[in-house]
Amino acid sequence: MDNQLQIYNTLSRKKEIFVPLHEGKVGLYVCGPTVYGKAHLGHARPAVTYDLLFRYLKHLGYKVRYVRNITDVGHLANDADEGEDKIAQKARLDELEPMEVVQLYTNDYHKNMEKLNVLSPSIEPRATGHIIEQITVVEKILAAGYAYESQGSVYFDVEKYAKDYPYGELSGRKIEDMQSNTRELDGQDEKHSPLDFAIWKKAAPEHIMRWPSRWSDGFPGWHLECTAMSCKYLGETFDIHGGGMDLCFPHHEAEIAQAKAANGHDAVRYWMHNNMITLNGQKMGKSLGNAISLDEFFSGEHALLEKAYDPMTIRFFMLTAHYRSTLDFSNEALQAAEKGMERLLKASETMNGLSPADKSSVNIGELKEKCYAAMNDDLNSPIAIAHLFDAVKIINSIADGKESISAEDLDALKSLYNTFVFDLFGLKKPEQAEGSNEAFNAAIDLLLQLRQDAKANKDWATADKIRNELTALGFVVKDTKDGASWELK
């Protein structure tokens, strides 16, 4: 496959040309949500990031198996080895069964992903559906000598592993520094070292979610599910593992260690991490209590929001920043994204009404090269968007008669523009009141046609009145050689 897609590999800390393990096929695994609350803006960032990757890989001609998990057990409060399961805790507070909580918020997540036009993954496995596979991984790690049983729980022996493999290679941490910065904690006397983490946890009497094993009735450690499910569906070695930067340590570091301990080699060839969304410089998340749910963004019903925002505005807002850069929320940034997206969508309508000329005064081939160069440079969506705004200028200049375009180049422009705006970036016209919008657009077009008829009949007073009234209402009316066009200010 002839492409020069480069991906920043967190493990090597550099951009690398992407070469799949199996020609023409890509295995992609992404850490999905822990479903104990409503989906928020922080969930949208990785969803849109890896949706862009999924779309682009398929556009390049690859057959992609995209696996994104649902965590529905084992993720304890504060991401620790002790304490209450986040889902069980929510179930207790709301007087629900844990699986009711899981189903409620999984449905909510799916609904919001659909609104954001995020494509469904090829496979969406749940942790609770793969207990047997996780127990098998625990057995393999024990057999390899990198784990130990203690009082019914099984812990990964980090210090023993670190004698054979570099623990901390993904996050850039050194085992010596971690050892010197840890201390013995109350209630952790089951562990040989504070660095060790649970891969199977004995359930306390009050713990609802439990499964039988030879060690105890218990549940798998949070880090284990991704190791088990990624290898089950993508093989012991696969191409890309994605997730949020906040998962780099300890979650992804633990995944690397578990896979090497169980199978004797790395599982992942390219590690990708999207950066965080922040609110006043602090990570936005449910556990921090500063998350704004996606439903609140769509309705505008939150104290920090000045208005409701269409899902496509949220999606475009994500794409205006590179996925590895921090994205800080503000109403001003969202409203700027809203205006930018409207310009792109309006230009699409203008483009579809262009008439070709004999020759072109614009270079569409160069524009195409720039757009693909940006995407091949580690999915640099903000640079690609900047080139699309160059395309908007070209489209408007052609519509105003300042530039010309041949039929061949017009077809190429339409193909390029539609591919990037709609197929890759996944934008679509705002959902709200689509039926009303159609009637609204038809009404304005009818007024412009009446104005055109008045001009043809030399009824200048009526023609001017229609234009002036529309201008007063906030419309910009442009007269072109092909007739009049309009847009809202």
Side-chain angles (χ1 to χ4, degrees):
M1 198 151 304
D2 184 22
N3 75 82
Q4 287 293 307
L5 172 61
Q6 292 190 80
I7 290 174
Y8 182 86
N9 190 345
T10 309
L11 189 62
S12 66
R13 291 164 180 74
K14 64 182 180 182
K15 293 177 187 177
E16 299 176 9
I17 293 176
F18 176 67
V19 180
L21 183 65
H22 303 289
E23 186 176 357
K25 297 178 181 179
V26 177
L28 168 63
Y29 187 93
V30 173
C31 290
T34 300
V35 282
Y36 69 102
K38 294 183 74 66
H40 57 77
L41 199 63
H43 290 122
R45 185 92 195 261
V48 171
T49 293
Y50 299 108
D51 184 61
L52 177 64
L53 175 64
F54 185 33
R55 288 170 181 266
Y56 192 57
L57 288 169
K58 291 200 298 180
H59 175 69
L60 293 176
Y62 291 111
K63 182 179 180 181
V64 185
R65 178 175 289 173
Y66 176 18
V67 182
R68 186 187 67 206
N69 71 304
I70 294 287
T71 296
D72 58 354
V73 70
H75 196 166
L76 305 188
N78 300 317
D79 299 345
D81 282 336
E82 304 291 335
E84 193 169 10
D85 185 292
K86 291 184 177 185
I87 289 163
Q89 183 181 61
K90 181 67 174 174
R92 177 175 55 79
L93 293 172
D94 291 356
E95 298 182 338
L96 297 170
E97 281 289 327
M99 284 300 110
E100 284 184 281
V101 172
V102 166
Q103 195 63 52
L104 175 66
Y105 293 116
T106 299
N107 290 346
D108 175 78
Y109 179 76
H110 287 157
K111 177 190 70 177
N112 283 305
M113 292 306 103
E114 185 176 350
K115 287 183 178 179
L116 289 169
N117 203 23
V118 169
L119 301 177
S120 297
S122 315
I123 303 171
E124 192 174 51
R126 291 187 181 188
T128 54
H130 296 78
I131 300 298
I132 293 172
E133 289 85 350
Q134 293 180 77
I135 289 174
T136 300
V137 175
V138 175
E139 294 280 17
K140 290 174 74 174
I141 296 173
L142 278 167
Y146 295 113
Y148 56 90
E149 182 184 353
S150 177
Q151 301 179 36
S153 295
V154 181
Y155 292 95
F156 191 93
D157 193 331
V158 171
E159 292 183 6
K160 186 170 184 182
Y161 171 86
K163 292 176 181 177
D164 299 325
Y165 300 105
Y167 185 76
E169 58 184 333
L170 184 68
S171 58
R173 302 175 187 224
K174 294 182 179 179
I175 188 74
E176 298 82 6
D177 295 337
M178 287 188 273
Q179 287 168 328
S180 64
N181 291 327
T182 58
R183 58 187 175 86
E184 294 297 331
L185 301 175
D186 292 340
Q188 292 202 3
D189 54 342
E190 294 181 6
K191 298 183 181 183
H192 292 176
S193 163
L195 295 179
D196 299 344
F197 56 87
I199 52 179
W200 183 264
K201 190 69 181 167
K202 181 181 179 180
E206 68 276 9
H207 203 285
I208 301 173
M209 304 172 80
R210 58 175 66 214
W211 290 263
S213 76
R214 70 179 180 89
W215 312 290
S216 64
D217 279 6
F219 54 92
W222 171 43
H223 307 310
L224 194 65
E225 64 178 278
C226 292
T227 299
M229 295 190 293
S230 61
C231 290
K232 177 180 175 68
Y233 295 110
L234 299 175
E236 286 188 3
T237 305
F238 60 95
D239 294 301
I240 303 171
H241 192 317
M245 197 171 286
D246 55 323
L247 297 178
C248 195
F249 187 91
H251 187 52
H252 290 163
E253 202 75 70
E255 278 191 60
I256 290 175
Q258 290 167 164
K260 280 186 179 178
N263 304 319
H265 58 80
D266 278 312
V268 180
R269 301 174 68 243
Y270 300 86
W271 282 94
M272 295 179 69
H273 291 91
N274 63 276
N275 213 322
M276 298 178 293
I277 289 185
T278 56
L279 177 63
N280 298 323
Q282 185 183 30
K283 175 195 168 186
M284 185 179 284
K286 287 197 296 283
S287 58
L288 298 172
N290 66 351
I292 304 174
S293 76
L294 290 171
D295 283 339
E296 287 171 329
F297 272 102
F298 303 156
S299 68
E301 296 174 358
H302 191 282
L304 292 174
L305 300 174
E306 294 177 0
K307 54 176 281 188
Y309 295 98
D310 188 85
M312 288 299 98
T313 298
I314 302 297
R315 184 180 178 98
F316 188 65
F317 171 62
M318 304 283 175
L319 295 170
T320 57
H322 190 270
Y323 76 89
R324 286 191 289 114
S325 65
T326 304
L327 185 58
D328 198 52
F329 157 77
S330 70
N331 283 281
E332 293 76 16
L334 277 174
Q335 288 164 27
E338 185 176 51
K339 290 178 180 177
M341 184 185 68
E342 287 172 356
R343 280 183 63 202
L344 287 178
L345 296 176
K346 180 62 181 176
S348 172
E349 295 177 9
T350 304
M351 177 182 66
N352 291 332
L354 295 179
S355 299
D358 293 335
K359 293 181 179 180
S360 287
S361 61
V362 293
N363 190 336
I364 304 304
E366 182 182 9
L367 180 67
K368 181 177 180 179
E369 287 179 11
K370 288 179 178 179
C371 287
Y372 278 99
M375 287 299 291
N376 285 332
D377 183 17
D378 194 31
L379 304 180
N380 203 327
S381 57
I383 298 298
I385 287 170
H387 295 316
L388 287 177
F389 281 122
D390 289 337
V392 171
K393 292 176 185 175
I394 290 172
I395 290 166
N396 290 334
S397 293
I398 295 168
D400 292 340
K402 297 174 183 175
E403 301 282 2
S404 61
I405 191 167
S406 67
E408 183 181 355
D409 280 348
L410 181 56
D411 286 343
L413 176 61
K414 287 180 179 178
S415 176
L416 177 68
Y417 201 85
N418 290 333
T419 293
F420 272 80
V421 174
F422 302 112
D423 297 344
L424 296 180
F425 292 157
L427 300 179
K428 55 184 182 179
K429 292 181 181 178
E431 296 173 356
Q432 51 212 34
E434 270 188 16
S436 300
N437 284 342
E438 289 176 12
F440 174 81
N441 293 343
I444 304 301
D445 289 340
L446 175 61
L447 282 171
L448 289 182
Q449 185 57 53
L450 291 173
R451 176 174 174 267
Q452 198 68 20
D453 294 342
K455 288 173 69 177
N457 294 326
K458 301 189 186 306
D459 183 359
W460 309 117
T462 299
D464 289 344
K465 181 176 175 57
I466 292 172
R467 180 182 186 123
N468 293 339
E469 292 290 342
L470 286 172
T471 300
L473 291 170
F475 291 89
V476 177
V477 177
K478 292 183 180 180
D479 289 308
T480 69
K481 61 182 180 180
D482 297 318
S485 65
W486 63 272
E487 62 181 290
L488 274 169
K489 288 181 184 176

